[in-house]
Amino acid sequence: MASELINRRHETDQPTADAYYPKPIKPWFTVTRPMRYMLREQRLIFVLVGIAIATLVFTIFPRSTQSTPYSDPFSGYGIRPDESYVPAIQAQRKPSLEYLNRIGATGGKIPLGLKRKGLRVVVTGGAGFVGSHLVDRLMARGDTVIVVDNFFTGRKENVMHHFSNPNFEMIRHDVVEPILLEVDQIYHLACPASPVHYKFNPVKTIKTNVVGTLNMLGLAKRVGARFLLTSTSEVYGDPLQHPQVETYWGNVNPIGVRSCYDEGKRTAETLTMDYHRGANVEVRIARIFNTYGPRMCIDDGRVVSNFVAQALRKEPLTVYGDGKQTRSFQFVSDLVEGLMRLMEGEHVGPFNLGNPGEFTMLELAKVVQETIDPNANIEFRPNTEDDPHKRKPDITKAKELLGWEPKVSLRQGLPLMVKDFRQRVFGDQKEGSSAAATTTKTTSA
Amino acid sequence: MASELINRRHETDQPTADAYYPKPIKPWFTVTRPMRYMLREQRLIFVLVGIAIATLVFTIFPRSTQSTPYSDPFSGYGIRPDESYVPAIQAQRKPSLEYLNRIGATGGKIPLGLKRKGLRVVVTGGAGFVGSHLVDRLMARGDTVIVVDNFFTGRKENVMHHFSNPNFEMIRHDVVEPILLEVDQIYHLACPASPVHYKFNPVKTIKTNVVGTLNMLGLAKRVGARFLLTSTSEVYGDPLQHPQVETYWGNVNPIGVRSCYDEGKRTAETLTMDYHRGANVEVRIARIFNTYGPRMCIDDGRVVSNFVAQALRKEPLTVYGDGKQTRSFQFVSDLVEGLMRLMEGEHVGPFNLGNPGEFTMLELAKVVQETIDPNANIEFRPNTEDDPHKRKPDITKAKELLGWEPKVSLRQGLPLMVKDFRQRVFGDQKEGSSAAATTTKTTSA
């Protein structure tokens, strides 16, 4: 049977001379001239080879193609951070080998097979004013970002634009309770930062600062993560030294109405250094001076947000005391840049992160008047207890060791904040016209 | 049947004339002449009435007859606290009606029928050096005393003499865990106080100070107890003001090796004031300066105990730095008197409790040489980090508002401590002879 099959096949192979074959139907694709050109000399194959190469490149060196484009809060405002403003990534000194080992970039402590793209970063207080801008930068860098927030002062609106991104997670959690997360970096920002909020429940403010920091330091120790504490210029209290340098021990009332925040943050620094000295945890401490920018709480009682909201609402600008007390105001993007350089750098700190540009309350009011409403009145009120008289950072250490200094002046940054506040205060879209009118008036700082 | 029974009984009642009756046996008790005297004229009844009256008196006005006699650590030392030294009880100003109501002395918030003798007082750290002397005084006053201690630095030997007393209880418990106790007063002393001990585990020192104080304040709030925090002169850090008055905010390093204790106690003060302002808890704050006396830990690294132990062991007295740094030394009985006046009084504080008698380390060494061994050598060693240069309390406030000031001078108190240390260092009984030899040498302060 088998040989018969073979024979048959032979027969079909030879064409017989006189059999009638209708004119052959052209192949299913009518081969136009270019198509014929393509098929000759294996040109199509080479196209396929090219595709293969490109696919290979993209799988090995992923670009953050999937994450939604980072919505730069400064785009369209006619302001670009200065060219010399080298984003943290390029300026990144080579992280210590020991740290890289731990995060597995050089195949260190990470179990075999757990290849990972980017860093796993948790930001406590990540739905807050500063936290959400930090999250934007980390997402833009391609990290996996976990926001932990109890939404006491944080707002979902600040991070909603990341919700569709698989690299982004949000956990509603209060840091006074422990949490287990496998991460490489911990930015610990969670704490109410404005006097109105931290005085609201002082005992809780202390718990957040002390027990919250204990929990996150315990996590850092357990998973070998690098830990950054956002401390505050309030650790200097009502300073007797001016400007304040990091080695200054401060002049803080331990039993006043602000003590829950000042002492809470000082004790958080103490814990951070004790975990570093005693348990070898990699820590970083940033002392943040007054910061302003888009997404600030509108009514959190801080002077910049107060003045802007009042000017927009045509209310008098309330100045507490004689208005001669000074503060220095840094724009939020400068701060975030400083935090990331501190985290990626090799120095523990503490580091002052602030803008040395010092303003009295009355000078600030004047800038707000120029920016929003020249006719805004000023109303004086009695000052609050323990309100510091002067506050100005000495940022020599950050300049030298982190290569960082603020770039955005008050007159550059304030309009960005006003735009955001206007949308939120009035929710209207017509800000375009009045914003254009305002920009022409801004004089350089 | 019934009437028959009645008849029979009649018969037995009448003696029949001719029946033989043996001579009657004298009653079971042979009634001697005094006994017969007693039984006549209801004299015995009056004895019983007298007994009833005395019993009544004792039940209404109990005297602390049951508690073992308070073993006065100063008895037999030929030193009596000065006559003007009015113990806290007599000097006790009338506690506020609102406080008395709560503790039920005037039948206030206490449920009906729960009559109680004396106060229910918990002393955290009650097995420690200062705590155990406080416990002695409270027991002597007839209070129900509960000692809560984790025995990290506390010692059972300090309170063993109370073990047989029903008014005394001891609970092995760490205040970083909550505890539920129905009490009227809380003396919160629990915390390692010597640098050697609190630096041993700095993170635990902070937990004890912050979480421990949170737990005890929470208890005070729940049961309506009055809460006294023993804070410390260390809240002044390395003071830039001299002497230190309570309104001075201090000069404290927040990130040094002593910070766990300094910042921990400052935050404990903050919490105490926030519970007072926010939750109306009755609080008291004492800032304790250097204290010495019997039952001090022998090797806790504090200067007085160091010098005494070294002199007894014929070792050189180690002076850190140049020896010119000053401290002021108060005897433990003075401190305990101050604490009780503060608790019973009507002022929140903080109050400095210390002895303004200021000594340099070298002067102290000289007194120790005079007291124990004139030939003891002095050995200089590098100073420890952040060691305060000067420390002297301003106690004007305690004098005026508590009617308190220290009574025992260094030269009066030191021999008492030496006696105790000698027993513990050598455990021998022959201290009697050498003690007599030493007492003749002591010159008045």
Side-chain angles (χ1 to χ4, degrees):
Chain A
M1 169 59 188
S3 56
E4 196 191 336
L5 274 175
I6 293 166
N7 285 337
R8 263 208 201 129
R9 209 183 58 213
H10 279 306
E11 282 155 23
T12 58
D13 289 352
Q14 295 122 357
T16 52
D18 52 7
Y20 163 70
Y21 287 97
K23 202 168 173 250
I25 317 152
K26 283 213 185 296
W28 56 275
F29 47 85
T30 57
V31 180
T32 59
R33 264 174 61 82
M35 287 292 288
R36 263 182 289 128
Y37 168 78
M38 275 296 298
L39 290 175
R40 276 203 310 277
E41 308 299 335
Q42 299 88 20
R43 287 186 185 98
L44 188 63
I45 294 169
F46 280 93
V47 168
L48 298 176
V49 164
I51 291 168
I53 290 169
T55 313
L56 202 68
V57 166
F58 273 95
T59 42
I60 295 174
F61 308 105
R63 292 238 352 102
S64 59
T65 41
Q66 311 89 333
S67 67
T68 49
Y70 152 53
S71 66
D72 174 357
F74 317 123
S75 63
Y77 291 138
I79 156 171
R80 282 310 313 153
D82 177 284
E83 278 55 38
S84 64
Y85 195 78
V86 183
I89 306 144
Q90 282 90 323
Q92 185 173 315
R93 250 156 307 292
K94 224 181 83 36
S96 69
L97 200 63
E98 194 250 340
Y99 171 59
L100 285 176
N101 274 341
R102 185 175 312 113
I103 65 167
T106 55
K109 220 179 100 185
I110 302 300
L112 216 58
L114 278 189
K115 195 172 68 58
R116 213 179 309 102
K117 290 174 297 173
L119 289 176
R120 300 162 303 171
V121 186
V122 58
V123 182
T124 72
F129 159 47
V130 173
S132 59
H133 286 286
L134 172 62
V135 166
D136 289 350
R137 286 287 305 273
L138 296 170
M139 292 297 293
R141 195 175 71 173
D143 293 340
T144 298
V145 178
I146 303 166
V147 162
V148 165
D149 208 301
N150 68 351
F151 295 96
F152 174 57
T153 51
R155 297 166 51 242
K156 273 189 199 169
E157 296 78 356
N158 290 342
V159 286
M160 268 186 349
H161 52 287
H162 295 300
F163 279 8
S164 59
N165 187 323
N167 279 342
F168 177 82
E169 287 165 54
M170 191 170 70
I171 304 174
R172 179 182 287 267
H173 174 83
D174 195 315
V175 290
V176 299
E177 296 297 327
I179 188 168
L180 301 183
L181 299 168
E182 295 297 326
V183 289
D184 307 308
Q185 290 182 346
I186 300 173
Y187 284 91
H188 180 42
L189 284 70
C191 181
S194 87
V196 164
H197 294 150
Y198 67 64
K199 286 182 191 173
F200 178 77
N201 184 346
V203 173
K204 179 65 188 351
T205 297
I206 290 177
K207 281 182 185 172
T208 302
N209 272 319
V210 179
V211 179
T213 302
L214 261 171
N215 287 334
M216 300 316 289
L217 282 166
L219 176 63
K221 181 180 167 194
R222 197 180 68 77
V223 300
R226 182 175 286 189
F227 172 90
L228 182 144
L229 169 73
T230 51
S231 183
T232 167
S233 56
E234 299 288 333
V235 298
Y236 299 121
D238 189 3
L240 305 176
Q241 259 189 33
H242 196 73
Q244 294 80 53
V245 69
E246 289 88 347
T247 48
Y248 174 49
W249 286 1
N251 178 43
V252 175
N253 179 4
I255 54 175
V257 290
R258 297 175 76 107
S259 307
C260 58
Y261 186 66
D262 303 0
E263 289 298 338
K265 282 289 185 185
R266 287 170 66 96
T267 303
E269 286 195 13
T270 310
L271 281 168
T272 302
M273 291 309 293
D274 281 330
Y275 264 83
H276 178 57
R277 284 187 288 254
N280 227 334
V281 176
E282 293 219 13
V283 300
R284 302 288 180 268
I285 298 179
R287 289 178 177 163
I288 298 177
F289 283 68
N290 294 65
T291 303
Y292 70 99
R295 297 183 195 155
M296 244 181 137
C297 281
I298 291 177
D299 294 305
D300 69 357
R302 284 188 270 193
V303 61
V304 179
S305 35
N306 253 12
F307 282 177
V308 169
Q310 288 164 340
L312 288 174
R313 290 171 175 147
K314 302 291 177 199
E315 296 162 4
L317 311 185
T318 47
V319 173
Y320 291 90
D322 59 11
K324 292 198 182 87
Q325 67 268 47
T326 72
R327 295 292 185 281
S328 58
F329 302 102
Q330 85 180 320
F331 190 69
V332 64
S333 64
D334 282 332
L335 171 59
V336 169
E337 176 64 23
L339 292 175
M340 291 177 73
R341 287 181 181 228
L342 174 56
M343 177 65 103
E344 307 298 341
E346 287 317 304
H347 301 280
V348 169
F351 283 91
N352 289 337
L353 294 181
N355 190 324
E358 195 179 1
F359 290 79
T360 66
M361 295 304 100
L362 293 174
E363 286 163 349
L364 172 66
K366 196 160 164 294
V367 176
V368 171
Q369 285 169 326
E370 290 162 17
T371 309
I372 303 174
D373 174 9
N375 306 320
N377 299 323
I378 288 176
E379 189 184 87
F380 290 90
R381 289 203 189 143
N383 205 348
T384 54
E385 200 184 315
D386 294 348
D387 187 45
H389 295 84
K390 290 191 291 185
R391 184 69 60 74
K392 173 178 176 176
D394 176 319
I395 58 171
T396 315
K397 192 175 174 185
K399 277 186 194 168
E400 284 167 7
L401 299 181
L402 302 180
W404 173 89
E405 61 181 312
K407 303 288 179 189
V408 182
S409 71
L410 184 62
R411 284 185 167 76
Q412 288 177 306
L414 206 59
L416 310 183
M417 180 174 163
V418 171
K419 175 177 179 337
D420 170 62
F421 266 48
R422 185 169 269 125
Q423 268 166 353
R424 288 192 283 148
V425 168
F426 302 116
D428 57 33
Q429 297 322 325
K430 59 187 181 336
E431 55 77 29
S433 52
S434 59
T438 338
T439 323
T440 49
K441 250 175 273 151
T442 46
T443 52
S444 75
Chain B
M1 174 56 192
S3 57
E4 193 192 332
L5 276 174
I6 295 166
N7 283 337
R8 261 207 200 128
R9 210 183 58 215
H10 279 303
E11 282 159 20
T12 56
D13 290 350
Q14 294 123 358
T16 51
D18 51 6
Y20 163 71
Y21 286 98
K23 205 170 173 251
I25 314 150
K26 285 220 186 272
W28 55 276
F29 47 86
T30 55
V31 181
T32 59
R33 265 175 61 81
M35 287 290 288
R36 264 184 286 128
Y37 168 79
M38 276 296 296
L39 290 174
R40 277 203 308 278
E41 308 302 332
Q42 301 87 23
R43 288 185 184 99
L44 188 62
I45 291 167
F46 279 94
V47 167
L48 297 177
V49 165
I51 290 168
I53 291 169
T55 313
L56 201 69
V57 166
F58 274 94
T59 40
I60 295 175
F61 307 105
R63 285 219 19 85
S64 61
T65 42
Q66 314 87 336
S67 66
T68 49
Y70 149 55
S71 67
D72 174 358
F74 317 123
S75 64
Y77 292 140
I79 155 170
R80 284 308 314 150
D82 177 283
E83 278 55 40
S84 66
Y85 193 78
V86 184
I89 306 146
Q90 282 91 323
Q92 186 172 312
R93 248 157 307 293
K94 224 181 82 35
S96 68
L97 199 63
E98 194 251 339
Y99 171 59
L100 286 176
N101 273 342
R102 184 175 313 109
I103 66 167
T106 56
K109 221 179 99 182
I110 302 300
L112 216 59
L114 278 189
K115 198 170 63 59
R116 213 180 309 101
K117 291 173 295 173
L119 288 175
R120 300 162 303 171
V121 185
V122 59
V123 181
T124 73
F129 159 47
V130 172
S132 60
H133 287 286
L134 172 63
V135 166
D136 289 350
R137 286 286 305 274
L138 296 171
M139 292 297 293
R141 195 175 71 174
D143 293 340
T144 298
V145 178
I146 304 166
V147 162
V148 165
D149 208 301
N150 68 351
F151 295 96
F152 173 57
T153 52
R155 297 167 51 243
K156 273 189 199 168
E157 296 78 355
N158 291 342
V159 285
M160 266 184 354
H161 52 287
H162 295 300
F163 280 7
S164 60
N165 189 323
N167 279 341
F168 177 81
E169 286 165 55
M170 190 170 71
I171 305 174
R172 178 181 287 265
H173 174 84
D174 195 314
V175 289
V176 299
E177 295 298 328
I179 187 167
L180 301 184
L181 298 169
E182 295 297 328
V183 289
D184 307 308
Q185 291 181 346
I186 300 173
Y187 284 91
H188 180 43
L189 284 71
C191 180
S194 88
V196 164
H197 294 150
Y198 66 64
K199 287 182 190 173
F200 177 77
N201 185 346
V203 173
K204 178 65 187 352
T205 298
I206 290 177
K207 283 183 185 172
T208 302
N209 273 320
V210 179
V211 179
T213 303
L214 261 171
N215 287 333
M216 300 315 289
L217 282 166
L219 176 63
K221 181 181 167 193
R222 196 179 68 76
V223 300
R226 182 174 285 189
F227 172 91
L228 182 144
L229 169 74
T230 52
S231 183
T232 167
S233 55
E234 299 288 332
V235 298
Y236 299 121
D238 190 2
L240 305 176
Q241 258 189 33
H242 197 73
Q244 294 79 53
V245 69
E246 288 88 348
T247 48
Y248 174 50
W249 287 1
N251 178 43
V252 175
N253 180 4
I255 54 175
V257 289
R258 297 175 76 107
S259 306
C260 57
Y261 186 66
D262 303 0
E263 289 298 337
K265 283 289 186 185
R266 287 170 66 98
T267 303
E269 286 195 13
T270 310
L271 281 169
T272 302
M273 290 309 292
D274 281 329
Y275 264 83
H276 179 57
R277 285 187 287 254
N280 227 335
V281 176
E282 293 219 14
V283 301
R284 302 288 180 267
I285 298 179
R287 287 179 179 164
I288 299 176
F289 282 68
N290 294 64
T291 303
Y292 71 99
R295 298 184 194 154
M296 244 182 138
C297 283
I298 291 177
D299 294 306
D300 69 357
R302 284 188 271 193
V303 62
V304 179
S305 35
N306 253 14
F307 282 177
V308 169
Q310 288 163 340
L312 288 173
R313 291 172 175 145
K314 303 290 177 200
E315 296 162 4
L317 312 186
T318 48
V319 173
Y320 291 89
D322 58 12
K324 293 199 182 86
Q325 66 267 46
T326 71
R327 294 291 184 281
S328 59
F329 302 102
Q330 86 179 318
F331 190 69
V332 65
S333 63
D334 282 331
L335 171 59
V336 169
E337 175 65 21
L339 291 175
M340 292 177 74
R341 287 181 181 228
L342 174 56
M343 178 65 104
E344 307 298 342
E346 287 318 304
H347 302 279
V348 169
F351 283 91
N352 288 337
L353 295 180
N355 190 324
E358 194 179 1
F359 289 79
T360 66
M361 296 303 102
L362 292 174
E363 285 163 351
L364 172 66
K366 196 161 163 293
V367 176
V368 171
Q369 284 169 328
E370 290 162 18
T371 308
I372 303 175
D373 174 10
N375 306 320
N377 298 324
I378 288 177
E379 189 184 87
F380 289 89
R381 289 206 189 141
N383 205 348
T384 54
E385 200 184 316
D386 294 347
D387 187 44
H389 295 85
K390 289 190 291 187
R391 184 67 61 73
K392 174 179 176 176
D394 177 317
I395 58 170
T396 315
K397 192 174 172 185
K399 276 186 197 169
E400 284 166 7
L401 299 181
L402 302 181
W404 174 87
E405 61 180 311
K407 305 288 180 188
V408 183
S409 70
L410 183 61
R411 283 184 169 77
Q412 286 177 307
L414 205 60
L416 310 183
M417 180 174 163
V418 171
K419 176 176 173 356
D420 170 63
F421 266 49
R422 186 169 268 125
Q423 269 166 353
R424 288 193 282 148
V425 167
F426 303 117
D428 56 32
Q429 296 320 322
K430 58 185 182 340
E431 58 76 30
S433 53
S434 58
T438 338
T439 323
T440 49
K441 253 173 275 155
T442 45
T443 53
S444 76

